[in-house]
Amino acid sequence: MSTGSQCVIVKIGGHGGLRHRLMEMGFVRGETVLVIKDAPLSDPIEYQILQSRVSLRRSEAQKIDVVELADTNAHAGNQDVMRSEFFGTFVEEYDNNELLSKKIQETSHTITVALVGNPNCGKTSFFNHATGLHEKVGNYGGVTVDVKTGVFYHKGYTIRLVDLPGTYSINEYSPEELCVREYLGKNEHDMILNIVDSSNLERNLYLTTQLIDMNTPMVMALNMYDEFQAHGDKFDYKTLSTMLGFPIVPTAASKGTGIPQVLQAIIDVFENKKDITHHIHINYGNDIENAIATIKTEIEKNKDIINLYPSRYLAISALENVGHTVDELKTLPNGEAIISEAKHFRDSLEKHHGEAIDTLVSNARYGFIRGALKQTFQPNKGNTKRWRAYRADDILTNRWLGFPVLLVFMWIMFETTFILGAYPQDWLDMLISWFGGLVKGWLPEGMLNDLVVDGIIGGVGAVISFLPNILILFLFISIMEDTGYMARAAFMMDKLFHRFGLHGRSFIPYIMGFGCAVPAIMATRTLENRKDRLVTVLTIPFMSCSARLPVYLILIAAFFPKHQALVMMSLYLFGVLVAVLSAKVLSKTVFRSVSEEFVMELPPYRVPTLRNVLIHMWDKSVQYLKKMGTIILAASIVIWALEYFPRNTQAEQLVAQQIEQTENRPVDDLFTIEAKTAAIDSLSQVQEAVHSEQSFVGRFGHLIEPVVRPCGFDWHIGVALCTGIAAKEIIVSTLGVLYQAGDVESEDGESALQIKMKEQRWPEGSIYAGQPIYTPLVAYGLMIFVLLSAPCISALAAIKREAGWGWVLFTLVYTLLLAWLFSMLTFQIGSLF
């Protein structure tokens, strides 16, 4: 607010002491504030409120949201002030200023809620049900690896729900913990919604005690309460709510139960209704409390930092020697004194008690939790249901059966993708062919007809028919995630992965990479060790993502009809093998630091909800169709244009003259009508081939053909592989455009593109002249190249975000070299047999 301006307060931010101090001085919602002037050094600022003058530092004033009263001087002479109720307070509204009143109403009715909880506590399920944004849900830690915000409306309020990464603590031992701490300290949120897994109260409440230390308004959602009740346990959560000082509401987020009650509790806390909240302190014992009090006094000399974080929380973090907190404290004028004071007490406490300070603090927190639960929680000692959810581990993680079961599951996944997906795929192929023929008949002959039929329908249609297969693949991945089997797979793979320089938890991003490399790369943030994280990021591109699936499906169905699932599975396993071998090389050369220890929660098995599975599949279908309408459509048109132009080159004109001469040649006994038709068809094919080779894309293809020829590829395949860097699906659409597959009718269940592929022959002058270009050997080598070659642009952008430009360049060069090498070896060695 500028000097002399006037405004109305609509929201008070901050925490604990700062928030209460502001309100005690009259800064409450609905009050009008006049900005008097800045201090000579621009800070603090003098304000007029409630007939008194108050000075605030800018850092404190930033915690107060206001709406400016425009043209206040014009209203000063004849303002008809009317008092109206404004959520328990009164606000001055000026006549004929409905826009201002509406703006005040909107701003004061907006609540920003930070969603915080342990991994696998149902946090994202709550987010999905409340917001309808359908974020990904998985039954293992680390699904939410970034901050997501959903905005929705409830009972006249706009609620901004911010889904933070799942974390067990906010002591900054992992990127997730740092992200949560940074957001809670430096972003404007009105309160915290703490999601707690009711089946694991003691462990989940540890994070709650840390949030209590942050002294922020809070509501707790006691999630999975239906499972808790099924165990026969008894829990007086209302008494615990009174003890902790904030509302606790039972929920079952996967079913949507209890969510309206949680939202009502959020509104009640936001409106500061009486007897709902009060702040408590976790008692850490006399020795630690004395240390906290002394360090806190030293910290409170710095008003700016305690406006961001409560002084008690900073004192506890300094005492525990939390790295990021210590770094921030060093920047303060008395930072060295604070750190020195904290070290003095830390050394004294550790010497006196014979244990590390973080152990002492953790024990005190768990002591508080156990004391609270002793008064409110009564477990059903005769209950055996609690462990039934783990009985499947007797088979699924068995020493001898675990790996065979995993391999059988993958084989079933691929077999179902082919067999079950073949039916809707054939229907889509027939529909696309019918539509292409229909459009060709509608439009007049010419460039527009060629663009629509060959460019758009031939290019996009060649890819869109694989949507059912991709949805089936994501169905299986969703089942692995939602049941908890994904975490078991990581558990089984840890020892093997460790030998290759990877972490067992790397297996989860690898499996996610079968769907899409971008979320898989982001999921590596759950790996705390930077070495483990980077090695996993750099090897994820070798996972066969769903974008590669259309290439596999069309080649396998055409050239490996009898062993489709086995061929597909061999590609996926080969990708994993190359990834782990690459990880071994990277770990022994570039990254030599020690891998972190394997610590991972194994959640109970749960039956996937139909809603979550359908949401997962729906989201992927929408993403796929969006890609059809954007990247692949644009690429198909560009490829068509490069293949269509230039027109009527000298070589084409010579062939055209030969066609004209043949058409004008009279029919006789030596040159029958059948011979004439065959000659014209042959010359037309030659004309198409000449045009294709003389086009811009043909010239580029011939330029790079010597590079791909050792792999058994011609220039058409070389061009398609180049376009695949944008998105792997474009390889199929590029071949569809280059082979003009849009005007070919499907036969015997084969797609138009498959028919065209089988028709391709090596031209005269080649050592393979007249032989088919596509053979099973070439098809497998092509799939190997697609599997190992550079990931799409989106994946490269994700690598840049996680690792930097240097590793993006490394990924491009390394993957392309590996792809060419293995494809070349496949073709050259295979040709010997």
Side-chain angles (χ1 to χ4, degrees), residues 393 624 637 764:
D393 282 337
Y624 193 73
I637 293 174
E764 294 296 329

Side-chain angles (χ1 to χ4, degrees), residues 130-171:
T131 66
L133 289 189
H134 305 156
E135 289 298 338
K136 187 178 179 184
V137 179
N139 194 17
Y140 60 90
V143 176
T144 306
V145 293
D146 210 343
V147 176
K148 304 179 183 70
T149 301
V151 180
F152 62 100
Y153 304 95
H154 181 76
K155 294 187 176 180
Y157 289 82
T158 300
I159 299 179
R160 296 179 67 251
L161 199 57
V162 182
D163 187 15
L164 300 174
T167 179
Y168 296 105
S169 168
I170 48 174
N171 274 353

Side-chain angles (χ1 to χ4, degrees), residues 407 410-411 414 418 514 542 544 552 556 560 563-578 779-781 783-784 787-788:
L407 291 174
M410 293 182 66
W411 178 81
F414 299 134
F418 275 107
F514 289 165
F542 297 123
S544 290
Y552 298 163
I556 291 174
F560 303 96
H563 306 286
Q564 295 182 350
L566 289 176
V567 174
M568 174 83 87
M569 190 170 176
S570 71
L571 291 167
Y572 279 71
L573 292 178
F574 185 67
V576 175
L577 178 62
V578 173
Y780 197 80
M783 289 187 289
I784 290 290
L787 164 66
L788 302 180

Side-chain angles (χ1 to χ4, degrees), residues 683-700:
L683 287 171
S684 296
Q685 292 178 6
V686 171
Q687 187 180 37
E688 287 182 7
V690 169
H691 168 73
S692 186
E693 293 190 4
Q694 292 295 316
S695 67
F696 292 126
V697 75
R699 294 172 188 178
F700 173 73

Side-chain angles (χ1 to χ4, degrees), residues 303-359:
K303 297 300 182 183
D304 289 341
I305 195 166
I306 65 172
N307 287 338
L308 293 176
Y309 304 104
S311 56
R312 179 177 172 84
Y313 169 76
L314 290 172
I316 295 170
S317 298
L319 189 61
E320 289 186 278
N321 200 29
V322 176
H324 199 272
T325 299
V326 172
D327 291 339
E328 283 193 283
L329 292 175
K330 285 180 180 177
T331 63
L332 302 178
N334 61 336
E336 293 299 326
I338 297 171
I339 295 168
S340 176
E341 194 82 54
K343 184 179 186 305
H344 165 71
F345 280 108
R346 182 167 57 251
D347 293 343
S348 176
L349 288 166
E350 290 179 344
K351 183 178 180 181
H352 178 70
H353 291 276
E355 288 187 293
I357 189 64
D358 54 352
T359 303

Side-chain angles (χ1 to χ4, degrees), residues 428-443 448-465 628 632-633 636-637 640 732-734 736-737 740-744 752-753:
L428 282 174
D429 275 333
M430 289 187 291
L431 179 64
I432 291 166
S433 296
W434 170 81
F435 184 66
L438 194 64
V439 172
K440 189 170 186 176
W442 281 347
L443 297 175
L448 180 61
N449 187 305
D450 293 340
L451 169 62
V452 175
V453 176
D454 297 331
I456 297 176
I457 298 177
V460 176
V463 182
I464 201 171
S465 62
M628 297 301 103
I632 293 176
L633 174 62
S636 297
I637 293 174
W640 172 86
V732 175
S733 62
T734 299
V737 172
Q740 298 181 9
D743 58 355
V744 178
L753 182 54

